[in-house]
């Protein structure tokens, strides 16, 4: 599953429970009667899933940082090899200059690769976190709607119970 899909699915379940719930007899369909246990079970599952989403995002960031570090090590190794080769050929000034240019070019390429990789990792992390943020907003909105529905239903029952027969 993609990040946040499980939470989206659980929010969809909440919405389905509310939409399929029966309306009280004296209501125009705005108030619903729902099984609180079903709602609580889904909310508990959402609470269980959120920490995993954050763990996954941290793991992805760590993996990207490891890739960046590995690329930097490779770049340093290439530079060291180029510098060593340049020193071996140091007898000729032109060869040394060309080797230094090549090492500088490799260093620039490695630095660009590091910047690109870091940018991509940060963009990906931002996307994952934005997705999580949207899911949290959606979840909060759904929970608010369910609570309002429950409050409205509780209010309707309380006023109905107070009417003398």
């Amino acid at each position: 599953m993609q990040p946040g899909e499980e939470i989206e699915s659980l929010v969809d379940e909440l919405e389905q429970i509310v939409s399929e719930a029966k309306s009280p007899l004296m209501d125009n369909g705005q108030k619903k009667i729902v099984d609180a246990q079903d709602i609580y079970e889904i909310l508990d599952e959402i609470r269980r899933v959120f920490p995993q989403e954050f763990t996954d995002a941290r793991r992805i960031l760590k993996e990207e940082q490891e890739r960046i570090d590995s690329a930097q090590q490779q770049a340093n190794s290439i530079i060291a090899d180029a510098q060593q080769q340049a020193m071996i050929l140091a007898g000729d000034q032109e060869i040394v200059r060309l080797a230094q240019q090549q090492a500088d070019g490799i260093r620039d390429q490695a630095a660009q690769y590091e910047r690109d990789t870091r940018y991509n990792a940060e963009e990906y992390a931002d996307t994952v976190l934005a997705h999580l943020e949207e899911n949290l907003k959606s979840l909060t909105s759904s929970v608010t709607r369910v609570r309002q529905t429950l409050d409205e239903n509780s209010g309707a029952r309380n006023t109905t119970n107070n009417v003398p027969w």
Side-chain angles (χ1 to χ4, degrees):
M1 270 191 185
Q2 290 290 332
E5 283 183 359
E6 190 171 352
I7 291 172
E8 284 185 58
S9 172
L10 291 167
V11 170
D12 290 343
E13 280 185 51
L14 277 174
E15 190 171 17
Q16 184 177 1
I17 288 171
V18 171
S19 68
E20 292 176 357
K22 295 182 179 170
S23 297
L25 295 176
M26 304 178 90
D27 190 12
N28 293 339
Q30 293 298 321
K31 296 178 183 174
K32 305 276 184 150
I33 298 173
V34 296
D35 185 351
Q37 185 60 36
D38 290 343
I39 301 294
Y40 290 137
E41 287 174 7
I42 292 171
L43 290 173
D44 287 343
E45 186 64 16
I46 289 170
R47 285 185 187 106
R48 182 194 65 75
V49 170
F50 257 112
Q52 184 61 43
E53 295 286 343
F54 289 119
T55 300
D56 290 347
R58 284 187 198 107
R59 178 187 48 78
I60 289 166
L61 286 174
K62 182 182 177 193
E63 289 172 359
E64 289 300 319
Q65 185 60 47
E66 288 171 357
R67 287 187 193 134
I68 290 168
D69 293 344
S70 175
Q72 186 63 45
Q73 287 175 349
Q74 284 180 320
N76 290 340
S77 175
I78 291 169
I79 290 168
D81 288 345
Q83 288 173 341
Q84 186 176 13
Q85 289 176 5
M87 290 178 71
I88 291 171
L89 301 173
D92 188 329
Q93 192 67 12
E94 182 61 19
I95 293 174
V96 172
R97 187 183 65 75
L98 292 174
Q100 186 60 48
Q101 283 179 344
Q102 185 179 12
D104 291 343
I106 291 170
R107 184 181 296 120
D108 292 344
Q109 287 175 345
Q112 183 62 43
Y113 178 77
E114 178 185 3
R115 285 190 297 273
D116 292 345
T117 303
R118 183 176 304 275
Y119 174 79
N120 290 336
E122 289 172 357
E123 283 294 314
Y124 180 78
D126 184 58
T127 300
V128 168
L129 293 174
H131 189 71
L132 288 172
E133 183 179 30
E134 286 302 317
N135 286 338
L136 184 56
K137 287 178 184 176
S138 175
L139 173 64
T140 302
S141 175
S142 294
V143 168
T144 301
R145 281 187 280 141
V146 169
R147 287 188 68 215
Q148 286 174 344
T149 301
L150 290 173
D151 286 345
E152 291 170 1
N153 288 340
S154 292
R157 279 194 300 257
N158 286 342
T159 58
T160 305
N161 291 339
N162 293 335
V163 175
W165 289 94

